[in-house]
Amino acid sequence: MARSLRPPTYTMNHLCHLVLSENEPLAQVGNLMGDFVRGAIDPSYPETVRRGIRLHRRMDSFADRHPLFQRSRARLQAPYRRFGGILIDIFYDHYLAVHWDRFSPLPLEVYSRQVYRSLARHHRIMPARMRQYVGYMTQRDLLTSYRGIDGIRSALSGVSRRLSRPNPLAQADQELERLRAELEEDFLAFFPQLVTYVRGEVPANSALSLDHAHVTEDKAT
């Protein structure tokens, strides 16, 4: 039986960041790495990784300022609203997984396996916490699991346990169920705008598009 990995500190909207990254494995590493590095970006990282980190940060800023994202946060009731950024990140990843076929011709299960393989080939350049997370994400197939409510409950419980102060996040799936239609409407209006924004940020050779967001197989060994 596979050894259980301890859930890492970070688990937010990773599916969204990965699928909107530049169509290059190292850029995906960088975009995911954005949740694991703070402050100045280490100049020793390859430029493609640094570009991914910068895109991650711009995407976060775009979402935080966007009226639809803010509206989703405002829909949450107390005591969940104070954790609105965390919750809407997770809930939006859920809706991306649910509506995956609208945005990619590649099945989510296939896409997820390709991402895991690409990330594994570049684990040496990842911070230790990120390597731990990638192992956990791969073992649990988190990207695919976000499609179901059980996967979201598991993500919420994990975040709840890892916060230093008491919090209600383990029960926040109730908010997702209560607001399912409203949050879905917000996401489906917001995500195409995020795609349009990212199109203006990634290099011209990116393969990103609303109907063709896919992974290029990494040929590195």
Side-chain angles (χ1 to χ4, degrees), residues 87 90-91 151-161 169-170 172-173:
L87 291 176
I90 294 173
F91 295 167
I152 297 304
R153 288 189 183 117
S154 178
L156 292 169
S157 294
V159 174
S160 177
R161 289 193 301 271
L169 294 185
D173 61 294

Side-chain angles (χ1 to χ4, degrees), residues 129-185:
R129 288 180 296 177
M130 182 177 174
R131 287 197 300 270
Q132 181 191 14
Y133 176 77
V134 168
Y136 177 79
M137 178 176 67
T138 302
Q139 184 186 70
R140 300 294 184 92
D141 190 13
L142 292 188
L143 297 180
T144 303
S145 77
Y146 288 153
R147 188 164 48 198
I149 191 64
D150 287 344
I152 297 304
R153 288 189 183 117
S154 178
L156 292 169
S157 294
V159 174
S160 177
R161 289 193 301 271
R162 292 188 298 278
L163 292 183
S164 60
R165 60 187 184 278
N167 65 83
L169 294 185
Q171 292 78 45
D173 61 294
Q174 299 171 12
E175 283 293 272
L176 177 59
E177 296 288 10
R178 183 179 70 85
L179 296 167
R180 176 163 291 279
E182 294 92 335
L183 293 176
E184 185 173 44
E185 178 184 359

Side-chain angles (χ1 to χ4, degrees), residues 34-215:
D35 274 327
F36 300 87
V37 296
R38 297 289 184 268
I41 300 173
D42 189 336
S44 70
Y45 289 141
E47 169 56 27
T48 308
V49 172
R50 300 199 302 272
R51 197 160 62 229
I53 296 172
R54 291 193 293 267
L55 178 60
H56 179 114
R57 293 175 178 180
R58 289 195 290 269
M59 288 172 63
D60 281 352
S61 295
F62 177 86
D64 287 343
R65 297 192 307 265
H66 199 284
L68 287 166
F69 193 89
Q70 293 175 357
R71 184 172 76 181
S72 289
R73 292 177 62 168
R75 294 187 191 278
L76 300 173
Q77 292 181 338
Y80 301 107
R81 189 175 297 174
R82 65 180 297 194
F83 301 97
I86 294 173
L87 291 176
I88 300 306
D89 272 354
I90 294 173
F91 295 167
Y92 276 15
D93 251 13
H94 169 63
Y95 288 115
L96 176 56
V98 167
H99 294 286
W100 182 261
D101 291 346
R102 295 191 182 200
F103 307 114
S104 174
L106 201 62
L108 180 56
E109 293 83 358
V110 176
Y111 173 83
S112 298
R113 287 196 298 270
Q114 291 185 356
V115 166
Y116 302 148
R117 287 197 294 269
S118 291
L119 293 175
R121 291 187 179 106
H122 297 291
H123 73 279
R124 291 182 181 85
I125 67 174
M126 298 175 186
R129 288 180 296 177
M130 182 177 174
R131 287 197 300 270
Q132 181 191 14
Y133 176 77
V134 168
Y136 177 79
M137 178 176 67
T138 302
Q139 184 186 70
R140 300 294 184 92
D141 190 13
L142 292 188
L143 297 180
T144 303
S145 77
Y146 288 153
R147 188 164 48 198
I149 191 64
D150 287 344
I152 297 304
R153 288 189 183 117
S154 178
L156 292 169
S157 294
V159 174
S160 177
R161 289 193 301 271
R162 292 188 298 278
L163 292 183
S164 60
R165 60 187 184 278
N167 65 83
L169 294 185
Q171 292 78 45
D173 61 294
Q174 299 171 12
E175 283 293 272
L176 177 59
E177 296 288 10
R178 183 179 70 85
L179 296 167
R180 176 163 291 279
E182 294 92 335
L183 293 176
E184 185 173 44
E185 178 184 359
D186 291 348
F187 169 78
L188 290 174
F190 168 79
F191 191 69
Q193 295 183 45
L194 178 61
V195 171
T196 299
Y197 170 75
V198 170
R199 279 173 169 165
E201 294 290 310
V202 299
N205 64 352
S206 171
L208 175 71
S209 82
L210 265 172
D211 57 356
H212 193 58
H214 65 275
V215 175

